[in-house]
Amino acid sequence: MAQQNNGVAANVTHTQPLWLLAEVTYRCPLHCAFCYNPTDYDKHTQNELSTEQWIQALRDARKLGALQLGISGGEPLLRDDIEDIVVEAKKLGYYSNLITSGVGLTEKRIQAFKEGGLDHIQLSMHDITEEINNFITNTRTFELKKKVAAMIKNHGYPMVLNVVIHRYNIGHIKEILEMAEALGADYVELANTQYYGWSLVNRSQLMPSKEQIDHAEKITNEFRAKVGNKMKIFFVVPDYFAERPKKCMNGWGEVFMIVTANGDVLPCHSARVLPNMQFPNVRDKGLEWAWKDSPAFNKYRGDSWMKAPCRTCPEKDNDLAGCRCQAFLLTGDAESADPVCSLSPNHHIIEKAIEDAKNPQLQAQPIVFRTDKNSKKIIAGELQERVADFHALP
Amino acid sequence: MQNTIQHTDIYAIALHHRFQWEEAQQCYVILFPEGMVKLNGGAGEVLKLVDGQRSVGEVVAALQATFPDVPDIEKDILAMFDLALGKAWLRKLN
């Protein structure tokens, strides 16, 4: 019997970590303003897991039922052992996905990935214009990304483009989709920025208006009707503008598991912001214990932890009270309703954030790019004016 | 039915999709970029035989032989082909 926590344990709910995200490094050559990595990532760049430790983690997760493997970061290609990880993933029967900015993807490496059995590559693109691509990533990567897109196609890979949407590119949705079609993309994810990590610090600079989002969605729907099955387009709706919160990660410890660069095991990308939680590490008791028995993974399974108004809400099964990290970051109470919900007593916080994003003075604040230097500053307690509103470092 | 499926058609699993048995799940799955589908027993039995060699007619005959007691199995099999084509899990080879 796994440990009981809130009356629910993994072996009772029959959860399985179908999706495993391996954030193999936090190092990254890009400096994207919207990166969801923790702003204090500089603390976690030491002690990266070794190749052998990653391979063991892959084996253990597969035994727990993991099927879809995302190899991500930071920029995973900064490690020189991705080839070995890919070979092991293939051997174990994963459907594997390299999530990359494209920086560091050479003919030699892509050839090795193909031979090793990597199933697909997800490339991030930012805009149709060089100016905005280079501005938002704080790098000169526009031409390189186009070359990498062609390389992915030439090697017979399905082309999956991920485009994070924000104020600077939302007006170009049609042109972005046309570019994707011209590049031969099979899948396009238009991922409206969610406000975690660096994007939360830069929220007033990045957030588009409701009207812009509605317009972008309309254009996307028209484009989808035109291209049909040839290019699948996902439009990730931004939760700040929704009536109800998202069912975050499809439930805490339900189908998703992240192993971070230093081996911490998390149920979601930003869980480390939560207070009084000790997340397991693969170096300690292994993944099976982490998933089934660790107090952290059991903490928000089920619904007995919920507070009013969620506890008695007839819709609670639809969204499981939303995102714990968002609730804590914005309200200081991890067990309160996600303030995105219009029924949350704290919903005014979201309304204020939307208003702030219209404020020319706040809009004009400089973007805090994701750099080692800025991460060190934030850890040292600088840039207070940008993080003071939040109940943990984003 | 959305698609016209002929007994002489030959299908294979679509490019960039993988069909495999999952021991932990005790079911067949289809895996593709950004997604997966767990298949119920009947669907798994049909797709297991979709190998780029057998025609639809041969798949039907094989399953009729394996499951002689299931009434009107052909209708279920064709419905499964129709669903799988609609989801773009299959590609037509001939």
Side-chain angles (χ1 to χ4, degrees), chain B residues 14-35:
Chain B
L15 287 176
H16 314 314
H17 286 55
R18 200 198 299 154
F19 170 79
Q20 69 186 30
W21 172 255
E22 274 305 300
E23 197 56 37
Q25 266 74 244
Q26 287 294 304
C27 66
Y28 285 98
V29 294
I30 294 182
L31 301 164
F32 46 90
E34 313 302 311

Side-chain angles (χ1 to χ4, degrees), chain A residues 136-148:
Chain A
I136 208 75
T137 65
N138 205 14
T139 55
R140 292 187 188 152
T141 48
F142 185 68
E143 289 301 326
L144 175 137
K145 281 173 180 287
K146 286 204 286 193
K147 276 187 206 137
V148 168

Side-chain angles (χ1 to χ4, degrees), chain A residues 20 35 53 81 142 202 226 249 323 349 387-388:
Chain A
L20 173 65
C35 182
Q53 285 169 320
D81 60 356
F142 185 68
N202 294 311
K226 196 184 85 182
M249 312 313 291
C323 171
I349 295 172
V387 296

Side-chain angles (χ1 to χ4, degrees), chain B residues 2 7-8 13-14 19 22 28 36 40-41 44 49 52 54 56 62 64 83 85 87 93:
Chain B
Q2 308 254 315
H7 272 224
T8 51
I13 301 297
F19 170 79
E22 274 305 300
Y28 285 98
M36 67 176 91
N40 67 26
L49 300 179
R54 290 182 179 88
V56 171
Q64 280 171 335
L83 172 84
L85 272 176
K87 300 267 186 195
L93 295 189

Side-chain angles (χ1 to χ4, degrees), chain A residues 91-238:
Chain A
K91 206 160 79 187
L92 292 167
Y94 279 103
Y95 194 83
S96 58
N97 174 18
L98 177 70
I99 301 166
T100 180
S101 66
V103 177
L105 191 61
T106 58
E107 275 293 334
K108 188 172 167 222
R109 293 199 84 177
I110 199 169
Q111 189 94 35
F113 295 148
K114 193 75 193 175
E115 283 161 16
L118 179 71
D119 289 291
H120 75 111
I121 298 174
Q122 180 187 307
L123 176 67
S124 60
M125 299 282 277
H126 302 283
D127 197 38
I128 45 153
T129 72
E130 179 155 18
E131 291 72 21
I132 287 175
N133 176 87
N134 292 359
F135 169 67
I136 208 75
T137 65
N138 205 14
T139 55
R140 292 187 188 152
T141 48
F142 185 68
E143 289 301 326
L144 175 137
K145 281 173 180 287
K146 286 204 286 193
K147 276 187 206 137
V148 168
M151 203 193 289
I152 291 170
K153 201 71 189 169
N154 286 342
H155 282 266
Y157 273 115
M159 169 124 57
V160 184
L161 295 184
N162 180 286
V163 187
V164 175
I165 303 297
H166 42 73
R167 182 185 298 159
Y168 293 95
N169 63 6
I170 195 162
H172 302 158
I173 289 281
K174 182 154 176 278
E175 290 79 6
I176 289 170
L177 287 168
E178 285 167 353
M179 172 183 73
E181 192 183 15
L183 290 169
D186 300 279
Y187 299 81
V188 181
E189 292 179 5
L190 300 173
N192 279 288
T193 303
Q194 311 248 13
Y195 298 101
Y196 300 93
W198 299 86
S199 60
L200 184 54
V201 174
N202 294 311
R203 189 175 58 184
S204 294
Q205 288 76 15
L206 295 173
M207 194 189 298
S209 69
K210 175 86 166 68
E211 293 70 32
Q212 285 176 306
I213 288 165
D214 289 345
H215 187 61
E217 189 164 19
K218 182 170 163 274
I219 290 171
T220 304
N221 288 338
E222 288 165 5
F223 205 90
R224 193 185 281 127
K226 196 184 85 182
V227 293
N229 251 345
K230 195 178 72 170
M231 182 167 97
K232 290 191 177 157
I233 308 171
F234 302 95
F235 187 87
V236 181
V237 178

Side-chain angles (χ1 to χ4, degrees), chain A residues 257-270:
Chain A
M257 179 161 74
I258 297 183
V259 179
T260 67
N262 68 348
D264 287 347
V265 191
L266 307 178
C268 79
H269 308 78
S270 62

Side-chain angles (χ1 to χ4, degrees), chain A residues 24 268 303:
Chain A
V24 294
C268 79
D303 60 12

